[in-house]
Amino acid sequence: MSARLTLATAARVLRQLRHDHRTIALLVALPCVVLGLVAWMFEGTPVLDSVGPLLLGLFPLVVMFLVTSVATLRERQSGTLERLMTTPVGKGDVVVGYALAFGLMAVLQALVLTAFAVWVCGMDVAGVLWVVVLVAVLDAVLGTALGLAASAVARTEFQAVQLMPVIIFPQLVTAGLFLPRDEMPAVLEAVSRAMPLTYGLEALQELAAGGGLAEVRGALVVVVAFIVGALLVGATTLRRRTP
Amino acid sequence: MRNNAPAAVRVAGLRVVRGGTEVLGGLHLAVPAGQVVGLLGPSGSGKTTLMRAVVGVQETAGGEVEVLGLPAGHRDLRRRVGYVSQAPSVYADLTVAENLRYFATVLGAGRADVARVLGEVDLGRMAGRRVGALSGGERSRVSLGVALLARPELLVLDEPTVGLDPVLRRDLWQLFHRLSADGTSLLISSHVMDEAQRCDRLVLLRDGRVLADSTLPDLLASTGAADVEAAFLHLVEDGAAPAAHLVQAPAGRHAAAHGEGSR
């Protein structure tokens, strides 16, 4: 791995994104639209203040997961991944290059979405706002890292799309959105503890209830650990030689 | 004779199995340095698999592939070997120049190389165009250009002239011969038998086996055929007893076989 090749790869991915207006719209505008609909639905109630912060973490994760896994599978199917594997580029350069590029998009997405939620929809966060943005960014980067790992495992774009519900839905069900974790059956609670989204949403719930960085530090460490783990899976599953 | 020159590629007993089927069964081959070697055979004969093994992205089930004196896929070869796959492997959503600049960084080549390559594949006027908006032939030239960036010592080209108009095809072959004159070794696959006359040596491949490894005059003389197509048929139909002196023997017998063929 080399910093120069990783950064060159990240710059190349961003350049590709710049030519792809639809994906940028999907990344930045779509979460705002959905959040706007939720705000409209619950207008005049305090629901947005409690649920809104959770959505700031959830939408970016799902969207980034999908966009990343499709982007990296295109890389595979166009033959450019195989070509890169005949060059001095390391597997880590490819995976971390993608993570950096989409991580930057995640920052943009989190900033735009939070600004939209607070200034346009009137969301009122009891906790510290910049920590909400930080958690949203980390959740989006987690989505990217999971997408990179999934596409390293998947063999086709179709499989990657099939993996989305497999990876995302169980996390949604057990993350504590529908039922607080401590009220779940013991087995489900254990499953919940093994899922990365749980910790992202836990942090956001804490923030919605008025918490700050000190209250969510533990959860954030777990999310970062999952990000690093998923990137390692992605980089090690990639093969220079294929059948 | 160039047989004393070190081989750019030496393949010994290469086996590749894919999905339970043997694609290459104990293949022997040598690509002499500085020559244009044509790899001819019908689709499904194993040309692409062999080329992928040479550039080190093919999982193999046995045998050895040595490239420029190192095992295929060795870290130190990644700048010295250029590979162009059959489908153009460049980014369709980037411009020609953006593609070349990215791969130049990856390969440690400079801006001057990007400019040189744009001229070599005659895409100077297309530099600012998005690759996705180019014709198939233009796209495959971008892909070829990427392989030329680092001035590789060995070029492995999988059907580089498919679908190109005759003028362009001639120009590309002139480029290949120029590179070869400068010392580059080229392994070029084709299923167009008439491209054989442009190669210094020919390797005829069928069902994952080498039918013949020879020069065109030697191949025609030994089979009594009028062209490569007829020679290929002759060798297939005599399959039970292939012209032994045309089949590449394991290292060492190459010079003898060649001398016998040119008698």
Side-chain angles (χ1 to χ4, degrees):
Chain A
M1 240 188 110
S2 93
R4 204 172 54 92
L5 297 187
T6 304
L7 289 176
T9 302
R12 185 263 297 169
V13 174
L14 286 173
R15 216 164 273 133
Q16 282 178 288
L17 273 174
R18 208 186 55 199
H19 289 287
D20 184 2
H21 303 293
R22 242 170 296 178
T23 297
I24 295 186
L26 184 71
L27 288 177
V28 177
L30 183 72
C32 292
V33 171
V34 181
L35 190 85
L37 290 176
V38 172
W40 189 22
M41 202 185 302
F42 294 103
E43 213 184 339
T45 72
V47 171
L48 185 66
D49 298 342
S50 58
V51 174
L54 297 185
L55 299 183
L56 291 189
L58 189 60
F59 292 157
L61 180 121
V62 175
V63 172
M64 294 307 281
F65 176 84
L66 189 65
V67 169
T68 308
S69 42
V70 171
T72 46
L73 273 149
R74 277 183 65 204
E75 175 101 48
R76 191 196 299 271
Q77 290 192 324
S78 67
T80 45
L81 182 64
E82 177 166 293
R83 164 166 253 157
L84 285 176
M85 293 292 101
T86 70
T87 71
V89 164
K91 295 182 282 184
D93 292 322
V94 175
V95 171
V96 178
Y98 264 96
L100 284 179
F102 283 108
L104 208 62
M105 290 306 294
V107 172
L108 178 71
Q109 187 187 47
L111 287 175
V112 171
L113 187 59
T114 312
F116 181 83
V118 172
W119 288 325
V120 180
C121 305
M123 182 177 82
D124 192 10
V125 182
V128 185
L129 193 58
W130 72 266
V131 185
V132 174
V133 175
L134 175 68
V135 179
V137 169
L138 285 178
D139 273 355
V141 174
L142 175 67
T144 286
L146 290 176
L148 286 165
S151 66
V153 175
R155 285 285 163 266
T156 62
E157 286 184 26
F158 187 53
Q159 278 183 20
V161 175
Q162 287 173 321
L163 269 175
M164 197 195 83
V166 172
I167 291 180
I168 298 294
F169 284 160
Q171 300 203 50
L172 280 184
V173 172
T174 58
L177 272 181
F178 302 117
L179 186 71
R181 247 188 336 278
D182 44 20
E183 292 172 31
M184 286 181 191
V187 175
L188 279 185
E189 195 185 338
V191 171
S192 166
R193 283 280 153 218
M195 301 283 189
L197 183 62
T198 303
Y199 298 89
L201 292 189
E202 187 179 78
L204 289 166
Q205 273 167 336
E206 201 74 55
L207 290 163
L213 186 60
E215 284 77 18
V216 300
R217 192 174 286 133
L220 292 193
V221 169
V222 178
V223 171
V224 170
F226 269 107
I227 291 173
V228 173
L231 291 180
L232 280 175
V233 168
T236 48
T237 323
L238 220 51
R239 287 274 169 271
R240 278 200 193 264
R241 287 180 186 269
T242 50
Chain B
M1 279 293 100
R2 303 220 211 170
N3 286 310
N4 297 331
V9 179
R10 199 183 295 282
V11 178
L14 175 62
R15 275 186 78 238
V16 172
V17 179
R18 192 183 296 127
T21 318
E22 191 171 70
V23 185
L24 297 178
L27 192 131
H28 293 273
L29 183 71
V31 174
Q35 292 204 7
V36 180
V37 174
L39 190 57
L40 300 181
S43 83
S45 58
K47 301 190 295 289
T48 299
T49 306
L50 173 58
M51 296 187 131
R52 293 182 74 239
V54 169
V55 298
V57 294
Q58 176 67 54
E59 266 177 19
T60 61
E64 280 172 31
V65 184
E66 197 183 276
V67 177
L68 305 171
L70 293 167
H74 190 279
R75 174 182 292 272
D76 293 346
L77 288 174
R78 291 180 192 150
R79 247 178 267 269
R80 298 167 65 195
V81 177
Y83 171 50
V84 180
S85 55
Q86 206 171 332
S89 29
V90 282
Y91 300 101
D93 39 12
L94 294 182
T95 67
V96 174
E98 285 171 337
N99 267 289
L100 290 175
R101 282 201 295 264
Y102 171 60
F103 283 109
T105 308
V106 161
L107 292 162
R111 286 296 165 104
D113 291 299
V114 172
R116 165 180 59 83
V117 160
L118 279 171
E120 279 173 345
V121 296
D122 193 23
L123 284 172
R125 283 174 304 125
M126 304 282 182
R129 297 269 298 273
R130 218 166 45 81
V131 168
L134 301 180
S135 75
E138 288 160 349
R139 269 186 232 196
S140 55
R141 273 145 67 204
V142 181
S143 193
L144 173 64
V146 169
L148 298 175
L149 280 167
R151 295 182 186 273
E153 294 159 59
L154 170 69
L155 263 179
V156 180
L157 310 176
D158 200 353
E159 311 225 358
T161 58
V162 169
L164 296 187
D165 84 82
V167 177
L168 208 55
R169 192 128 72 104
R170 184 203 58 199
D171 291 352
L172 279 185
W173 276 100
Q174 282 171 354
L175 171 64
F176 299 157
H177 284 290
R178 230 170 34 238
L179 292 167
S180 151
D182 291 344
T184 309
S185 312
L186 291 97
L187 180 62
I188 303 178
S189 78
S190 177
H191 64 260
V192 188
M193 297 282 180
D194 67 2
E195 291 198 322
Q197 58 192 0
R198 306 181 191 264
C199 301
D200 298 323
R201 284 191 77 79
L202 296 178
V203 175
L204 300 192
L205 210 61
R206 187 171 190 265
D207 292 336
R209 276 163 218 286
V210 176
L211 281 184
D213 177 1
S214 165
T215 63
L216 180 59
D218 289 352
L219 179 69
L220 297 184
S222 65
T223 54
D227 56 28
V228 184
E229 186 98 34
F232 191 89
L233 283 172
H234 177 91
L235 291 170
V236 170
E237 273 150 20
D238 281 11
H245 61 288
L246 287 180
V247 175
Q248 175 65 49
R253 274 192 54 201
H254 188 250
H258 195 267
E260 196 183 344
S262 50
R263 221 172 21 217

